Amino acid sequence: MRDCPRLFIPPGTIAPMACDAMLDLEAGQAHYLGAVLRQQAGAAVALFNARDGEWHGVIDHLRRDRCRIRLVERTRAPVATRGLCLLFAPLKRDATETVIRMGTELGVTRFRPVVSERTNTHRINAARLESIAVEAAEQCERLDVPAIDPLADLPVVLSQWPDDMSLFAALERSDAPVVPTGARSGDCVLIGPEGGFSPREHDMLRARPFVRPLSLGDLVLRADTAAAAALALVGAGLKAV
């Protein structure tokens, strides 16, 4: 099954998957199977989403931008990803896409792009980022695709923060602990922009009771590298909610 194509099917676009049901793929997925992967009728395909789990299917027919799949059996039951939320300042295009891809592979359940004082990019291509998240979920074999929130100002996000959710903020050149403890699924990690947080933002973050400062060591990391490092550090000790 792992050698066959794996496609995400948004649950809101189809009826619940069932044995022997027929499922018509969207045109882009049909084109991908036929023109890119050169699949033919009878080939195996894995289809998944968080509602239905993962299903083994067989291509019933495939022509250009049309493909119908016959569902054979469910191979994995639905299960929610136990992971973290990631707040990050948008970066240059390739770096932002790297953050989405790596974050999805590391179990991020929700991306929250935020604007800080030193953020250089104040726009995001939501459709492109959602496509990157879907591709990463297909590749890493998770069953769900993380949500991507609209861009928001960091102070506004912090002012609306729930008291029962921890925010592990990666603060460069700080005396914060390198190895965090006590993180729970659903907690969040915050990564600053290229150039880091401003002194005023450092003070603002440290003044919030839900913020838990986090150090990523003595070396200066690229923002996309810092995101992966922080998610790995905080996620390694996740506790069940």
Side-chain angles (χ1 to χ4, degrees):
M1 280 295 297
R2 292 191 178 185
D3 293 331
C4 71
R6 189 169 186 269
L7 300 177
F8 171 68
I9 307 297
T13 64
I14 61 167
M17 296 187 195
C19 291
D20 292 325
M22 292 293 188
L23 190 154
D24 292 317
L25 298 184
E26 63 177 27
Q29 291 176 321
H31 175 80
Y32 174 69
L33 287 179
V36 179
L37 298 184
R38 303 294 184 184
Q39 300 294 303
Q40 298 179 352
V45 181
L47 308 174
F48 72 95
N49 61 46
R51 184 193 67 190
D52 301 308
E54 185 162 330
W55 283 73
H56 168 59
V58 174
I59 297 176
D60 183 71
H61 71 262
L62 174 60
R63 293 183 180 178
R64 295 187 179 179
D65 59 353
R66 294 185 180 182
C67 180
R68 175 163 290 184
I69 305 293
R70 180 175 62 85
L71 298 175
V72 178
E73 63 176 339
R74 189 169 71 177
T75 57
R76 293 171 63 190
V79 59
T81 298
R82 289 185 58 249
L84 300 162
C85 168
L86 177 63
L87 280 70
F88 71 100
L91 309 168
K92 295 177 181 177
R93 175 178 171 179
D94 291 346
T96 295
E97 293 181 0
T98 297
V99 169
I100 298 297
R101 176 179 57 79
M102 292 193 301
T104 301
E105 294 174 1
L106 289 169
V108 168
T109 57
R110 182 181 178 189
F111 292 98
R112 302 185 67 178
V114 293
V115 176
S116 62
E117 291 184 14
R118 294 175 178 171
T119 299
N120 293 323
T121 301
H122 291 73
R123 293 192 303 174
I124 60 171
N125 185 335
R128 173 62 179 168
L129 297 185
E130 290 170 1
S131 175
I132 295 293
V134 167
E135 292 174 5
E138 291 173 342
Q139 185 276 329
C140 73
E141 299 191 2
R142 64 185 283 177
L143 293 178
D144 54 357
V145 174
I148 301 176
D149 287 1
L151 192 61
D153 291 334
L154 179 58
V156 173
V157 172
L158 295 179
S159 70
Q160 300 170 349
W161 200 265
D163 294 334
D164 61 348
M165 182 185 296
S166 295
L167 177 60
F168 292 83
L171 302 180
E172 65 281 356
R173 299 179 179 86
S174 71
D175 56 358
V178 176
V179 182
T181 58
R184 300 173 302 167
S185 179
D187 283 343
C188 297
V189 169
L190 170 63
I191 298 296
E194 296 164 341
F197 294 111
S198 69
R200 181 167 58 180
E201 288 171 331
H202 270 264
D203 293 339
M204 175 181 65
L205 288 166
R206 288 182 178 277
R208 302 281 179 167
F210 52 81
V211 171
R212 299 182 59 179
L214 169 68
S215 172
L216 299 180
D218 297 330
L219 300 180
V220 178
L221 305 180
R222 286 169 50 106
D224 50 352
T225 304
L231 288 169
L233 284 172
V234 179
L238 275 184
K239 297 180 178 180
V241 177

